[in-house]
Amino acid sequence: MAKTALNKKVDDFFKKNHNVPITEKTFEKSGLNINEINEYGNLLHAAVNYDYDKAHIMQFIDILLKKGINVNKKGERTGLSFIHLALYGYTGEDGIDYSYSEEFIIELIKKARNYGFDVNIKDNDSEDIPTCAVASEIYRGSVLKIIETLGPRYELPEDFLEKYKKYLNEARRGNNNRWYNRLNNELGAITDYVNKSKLNYDDLNLLAKDKMELLKSKTNDLDYDKLANLYGEIHALIEEIRGIISKIVMLNRDSSEYESFLSDSLNLIQTVLEEHLKEMEHKPNQKSLEAVKEIAICFAFASLIKKIEEKVRDYQEYLESLRKEAKNRKTLNECHLMLNEIAEIEIGDELKTIIEANIEKIEVAMTETRESFEALKSAKNAASSFIPISDIQEDVDYGNLTIEELKEITLSNQKMVSSYRKNIKDKISSLYEQLYCSVIPLIESGLMNKEDIKSIFSSTLSSSKVKEKKK
């Protein structure tokens, strides 16, 4: 498929975001529109047609599905759904076609089913998804797993085995060993599946009762822990019973007993999940919420999935509010109080790191404030004999002071020391002035000159007596 304008837009989008997760925000910024189409399909088709990061493709498709893109859109030229197209692989940078993995295809089908995908959709050649998987020379995975993933509403065409063998022979005649070996290796399992799908009512009835009994044993005394361990097996049984019901309905026979049992089983599972969600309200946990969501998605509980997603968003907002609160703890007492409160919180270690960083900064400011008081006391003791000094009030509640308040006290103390220094300097200057005035008559009489006076002052300051007094 040549790159159309739509394909180029999608190509540009994936290249621009190749090293970051695909989110709703990045999608909205791109200008892409879920209603854009071309002759080959829509954005879903464009996403699976080229060599993009597989995780990014899944993230992109999740966003498209949530936004309500037409999951059953078929290309006007080919009639291919995006699942059909994915089965024909993608084109690499080297121009060669490659196969998506079986896991990738299965995951695509599961996601599409959750948003109303028509499991019986056919292309312009009247080939459904499993037949397309058989016909694809590129695909490397299991056809039977695709059939099982499509679920009980999938109706196997009557000529499916005939078409399977036709493509097997085509692969053999064309010497396409990889294609031939894939189909030939699964022929026995496909034949068994087709034969079982043709069971009569009595056979189906017995099979349904066996599956019901097995499901009863799995759901007996069901609680969340048991469900978390067995939900995969339980879901597989439910899908099998749905498949049997579908076949019974096709025979125009009554399936109400099984449908009622299935409904009761699903209601029980949903109730267990809802009760567990209520219990989690007292002690929420991101990992646990995601685990519950995974089970809800498995059973396609749409309303419950929405409720869980809301709780996940609320919980994420709560965690973000805790991060902000931790950053905003300004005093030592506030920080220690929060440390005691976060011990059992999921992001407790992260919050502890934030708070301890705050504590470190506060303690630096506290040390500076204490040192400023020590300097002030020392200055007071030295200056008290020269100038009048008021008492120092070190009545400081360090634990309840912010860094800004501590810095303000430190600055105030430093200013006080500076004022002592200035006042002492002024005092000494005044004393010298008085002394000098007293010796002016000696200078005027010529008995002494200014140099004699300065020499005496200098000699006095450096004398041993002054040094001893200082000690």
Side-chain angles (χ1 to χ4, degrees):
M1 185 192 298
K3 285 190 179 181
T4 64
L6 179 59
N7 291 112
K8 287 177 182 177
K9 283 184 183 179
V10 173
D11 200 41
D12 289 343
F13 174 78
F14 277 103
K15 286 178 180 177
K16 184 178 179 181
N17 297 284
H18 72 281
N19 59 348
V20 296
I22 305 297
T23 64
E24 287 192 33
K25 190 174 181 180
T26 54
F27 178 83
E28 288 165 3
K29 283 184 177 180
S30 71
L32 291 171
N33 189 319
I34 63 167
N35 296 316
E36 288 186 80
I37 60 172
N38 60 23
E39 58 188 333
Y40 298 104
N42 58 16
L43 291 176
L44 291 170
H45 294 73
V48 298
N49 199 48
Y50 293 100
D51 186 13
Y52 306 127
D53 179 81
K54 307 305 177 290
H56 279 181
I57 293 175
M58 285 300 184
Q59 291 166 359
F60 186 69
I61 286 174
D62 278 337
I63 291 167
L64 297 179
L65 294 174
K66 287 178 182 178
K67 287 184 173 294
I69 196 169
N70 182 1
V71 74
N72 291 309
K73 174 67 179 175
K74 297 197 292 185
E76 293 178 9
R77 177 175 289 192
T78 61
L80 298 177
S81 71
F82 85 102
I83 302 292
H84 280 92
L85 188 61
L87 284 165
Y88 285 116
Y90 60 90
T91 305
E93 292 293 332
D94 54 9
I96 298 174
D97 290 334
Y98 295 91
S99 171
Y100 284 113
S101 68
E102 176 185 292
E103 293 77 14
F104 183 89
I105 297 294
I106 296 301
E107 186 64 20
L108 277 187
I109 295 172
K110 287 179 178 178
K111 288 180 183 294
R113 276 188 59 191
N114 288 336
Y115 289 88
F117 181 66
D118 178 7
V119 295
N120 294 298
I121 195 168
K122 293 179 173 62
D123 62 16
N124 288 349
D125 294 324
S126 297
E127 292 193 339
D128 61 5
I129 298 297
T131 307
C132 176
V134 174
S136 174
E137 298 178 39
I138 299 295
Y139 184 54
R140 300 286 177 258
S142 165
V143 176
L144 189 56
K145 284 188 179 179
I146 288 177
I147 293 173
E148 293 169 346
T149 304
L150 289 170
R153 292 180 179 81
Y154 170 67
E155 297 173 8
L156 191 72
E158 291 184 8
D159 61 347
F160 180 78
L161 188 57
E162 180 184 336
K163 283 189 175 182
Y164 193 100
K165 291 177 179 178
K166 183 192 82 169
Y167 283 116
L168 179 66
N169 289 328
E170 186 178 322
R172 178 178 54 79
R173 288 194 302 271
N175 292 320
N176 191 326
N177 292 332
R178 184 175 287 181
W179 185 21
Y180 174 81
N181 289 335
R182 174 173 70 89
L183 298 182
N184 189 53
N185 288 341
E186 205 171 16
L187 177 60
I190 291 292
T191 302
D192 288 344
Y193 181 87
V194 171
N195 290 335
K196 285 181 181 178
S197 70
K198 295 178 180 178
L199 294 173
N200 60 37
Y201 174 70
D202 291 335
D203 292 332
L204 291 170
N205 197 35
L206 287 172
L207 186 58
K209 289 186 181 301
D210 287 344
K211 298 297 180 184
M212 278 174 59
E213 288 303 315
L214 186 55
L215 184 56
K216 282 179 184 177
S217 69
K218 300 284 185 186
T219 56
N220 186 40
D221 296 326
L222 190 66
D223 58 17
Y224 178 74
D225 290 337
K226 185 176 181 180
L227 178 60
N229 288 325
L230 297 178
Y231 77 91
E233 297 176 38
I234 292 171
H235 178 260
L237 280 170
I238 287 174
E239 290 297 293
E240 287 186 65
I241 295 171
R242 279 176 172 159
I244 296 168
I245 290 172
S246 178
K247 292 178 177 64
I248 291 174
V249 170
M250 289 172 66
L251 294 173
N252 294 319
R253 303 297 291 267
D254 181 27
S255 63
S256 58
E257 176 188 355
Y258 310 121
E259 289 176 0
S260 177
F261 171 77
L262 213 54
S263 176
D264 290 343
S265 298
L266 288 168
N267 286 337
L268 171 62
I269 294 166
Q270 184 159 349
T271 299
V272 168
L273 290 177
E274 287 174 344
E275 288 177 351
H276 185 64
L277 272 181
K278 286 181 181 178
E279 292 173 5
M280 286 177 62
E281 288 178 359
H282 304 293
K283 193 177 178 182
N285 178 285
Q286 178 85 21
K287 189 175 179 181
S288 298
L289 284 169
E290 292 295 344
V292 177
K293 180 182 175 182
E294 184 178 325
I295 298 173
I297 289 173
C298 180
F299 292 99
F301 294 146
S303 61
L304 186 57
I305 293 168
K306 186 176 179 181
K307 185 187 293 185
I308 296 169
E309 287 175 344
E310 289 173 356
K311 286 186 176 295
V312 169
R313 282 194 297 271
D314 290 343
Y315 184 59
Q316 287 172 341
E317 289 175 3
Y318 165 68
L319 293 182
E320 189 57 35
S321 71
L322 286 178
R323 291 186 182 97
K324 289 179 180 178
E325 185 181 348
K327 290 175 183 177
N328 290 329
R329 290 292 169 118
K330 303 295 186 182
T331 71
L332 197 63
N333 287 350
E334 287 178 353
C335 288
H336 285 302
L337 182 62
M338 190 167 187
L339 280 177
N340 294 331
E341 294 171 348
I342 63 172
E344 296 184 7
I345 293 176
E346 185 177 6
I347 59 168
D349 289 342
E350 178 187 345
L351 297 176
K352 184 180 178 183
T353 300
I354 295 171
I355 294 168
E356 286 179 343
N358 286 353
I359 290 174
E360 185 176 347
K361 292 175 184 177
I362 293 168
E363 288 180 339
V364 168
M366 287 171 62
T367 299
E368 290 174 351
T369 301
R370 288 192 175 101
E371 288 175 349
S372 75
F373 271 112
E374 291 302 317
L376 183 59
K377 289 175 186 176
S378 177
K380 177 192 172 185
N381 292 335
S384 60
S385 60
F386 285 89
I387 57 175
I389 303 288
S390 58
D391 290 338
I392 298 171
Q393 301 293 326
E394 193 183 354
D395 186 17
V396 177
D397 184 4
Y398 286 96
N400 287 317
L401 292 178
T402 65
I403 291 175
E404 289 74 19
E405 289 168 336
L406 289 165
K407 285 183 175 180
E408 187 177 334
I409 293 171
T410 300
L411 182 60
S412 175
N413 288 345
Q414 290 169 345
K415 286 181 178 178
M416 186 66 70
V417 171
S418 295
S419 72
Y420 289 173
R421 186 177 295 110
K422 182 180 181 302
N423 291 340
I424 290 171
K425 186 177 179 181
D426 291 345
K427 178 71 173 180
I428 293 172
S429 178
S430 174
L431 290 173
Y432 269 99
E433 187 177 347
Q434 291 174 20
L435 182 59
Y436 187 75
C437 288
S438 69
V439 298
I440 286 176
L442 297 174
I443 296 171
E444 289 177 344
S445 67
L447 186 60
M448 299 189 78
N449 57 39
K450 290 182 179 180
E451 285 67 25
D452 292 333
I453 301 300
K454 288 180 181 178
S455 176
I456 293 168
F457 285 169
S458 177
S459 176
T460 301
L461 286 173
S462 61
S463 71
S464 60
K465 288 183 179 180
V466 173
K467 291 179 182 179
E468 189 64 32
K469 193 172 183 181
K470 283 176 71 180
K471 289 180 183 178

